[in-house]
Amino acid sequence: GIGPNKLIAKIASDLEKPNGQFEVLPNDVLEFMAALPVRKIWGIGAVTEQKLQQRGINLCADLLRFTRLQLQEIFGKFGAELYDLARGIDDREVEPHRERKSHSNEETFSINLETLEACEERLEELFAELMAELAQKENDRVITKIFVKLKFADFTRTTVERAGMSPSLGEYRQLLTEAFARTGKSVRLMGVGVRFAPVAQAEPAQLPLL
């Protein structure tokens, strides 16, 4: 996949698998993105896709009808990213040798969540998005820990993480319950994530001495 940024190159790389090559030129980015299903955008899993479809949004072209503020009101922080991504805008730097130590998905809520039950409802969406992103980007990494992060109405924050737990909805619910119980305050931000084991470095082979 060849494109002017990471988003375009990643999507393009999926179009001619396994042995082809697909290039998107800078002037063709908007037209290329407009025709794509919204599911092609990284970070959109089944739950977010359903929420989009309920609003008549199936293609990236449909997202272009919304302002950045409108998308933020619906999806929080991710809404602002959606505004750019639907237009093929991605300013992330390419770091081919950087080893990612963790991966997380979080949302800042326009209205604070007052109860554990309300947090659990949003947890399901965040968990679904996290699993979709891991499947797309990190499916070969070994997960050593999972964690839940909360930021409360007074901007204090807490994180609960556990080693040896699988990234399942039930396990994340346990962490959320513990994190929420620490203060009982309303929640303005929630994040879920995983931490990875270091990538094993292969030792260089030594040629035999003759």
Side-chain angles (χ1 to χ4, degrees):
I2 303 171
N5 58 47
K6 292 176 70 172
L7 170 69
I8 302 300
K10 175 63 175 70
I11 295 175
S13 71
D14 292 331
L15 298 180
E16 296 291 341
K17 286 184 176 180
N19 298 315
Q21 178 174 294
F22 193 94
E23 180 178 7
V24 181
L25 299 175
N27 291 339
D28 298 331
V29 166
L30 193 57
E31 181 180 357
F32 171 74
M33 290 298 301
L36 293 175
V38 290
R39 189 67 180 265
K40 287 290 185 180
I41 296 178
W42 69 267
I44 293 184
V47 175
T48 302
E49 182 182 32
Q50 184 177 19
K51 289 176 67 174
L52 289 166
Q53 289 175 343
Q54 290 171 351
R55 291 172 169 81
I57 302 171
N58 297 289
L59 303 177
C60 290
D62 299 324
L63 279 170
L64 303 183
R65 306 195 310 262
F66 294 81
T67 66
R68 187 186 299 272
L69 180 58
Q70 287 173 326
L71 290 175
Q72 282 182 286
E73 290 175 348
I74 299 171
F75 298 102
K77 178 183 176 182
F78 186 53
E81 295 183 50
L82 271 180
Y83 181 88
D84 289 334
L85 296 175
R87 292 163 170 75
I89 300 170
D90 183 7
D91 296 326
R92 293 174 298 165
E93 294 184 8
V94 177
E95 299 176 308
H97 303 298
R98 177 176 173 265
E99 180 183 329
R100 183 189 289 270
K101 297 180 180 179
S102 64
H103 189 100
S104 63
N105 189 17
E106 63 184 41
E107 181 179 357
T108 300
F109 307 113
S110 56
I111 300 176
N112 293 346
L113 306 182
E114 301 288 343
T115 66
L116 176 60
E117 290 73 20
C119 291
E120 287 178 335
E121 289 183 11
R122 305 308 287 265
L123 176 71
E124 292 185 21
E125 298 179 15
L126 288 170
F127 170 75
E129 303 302 340
L130 174 67
M131 297 309 293
E133 292 176 14
L134 290 175
Q136 291 177 4
K137 304 176 184 180
E138 309 286 0
N139 59 2
D140 60 340
R141 297 294 300 275
V142 176
I143 295 172
T144 60
K145 294 181 179 180
I146 66 173
F147 64 87
V148 168
K149 176 176 69 174
L150 296 181
K151 182 185 288 185
F152 301 102
D154 61 358
F155 290 88
T156 59
R157 64 182 67 195
T158 190
T159 299
V160 180
E161 63 179 53
R162 292 285 185 277
M165 297 177 75
S166 60
S168 67
L169 183 57
E171 304 286 19
Y172 278 109
R173 279 185 175 138
Q174 290 184 37
L175 301 188
L176 171 62
T177 299
E178 180 177 339
F180 187 82
R182 288 180 175 178
T183 70
K185 299 174 183 176
S186 60
V187 174
R188 71 184 313 270
L189 176 146
M190 184 191 309
V192 297
V194 299
R195 304 200 191 281
F196 300 119
V199 176
Q201 298 291 326
E203 294 186 5
Q206 180 175 344
L207 297 176
L209 300 176
L210 301 178

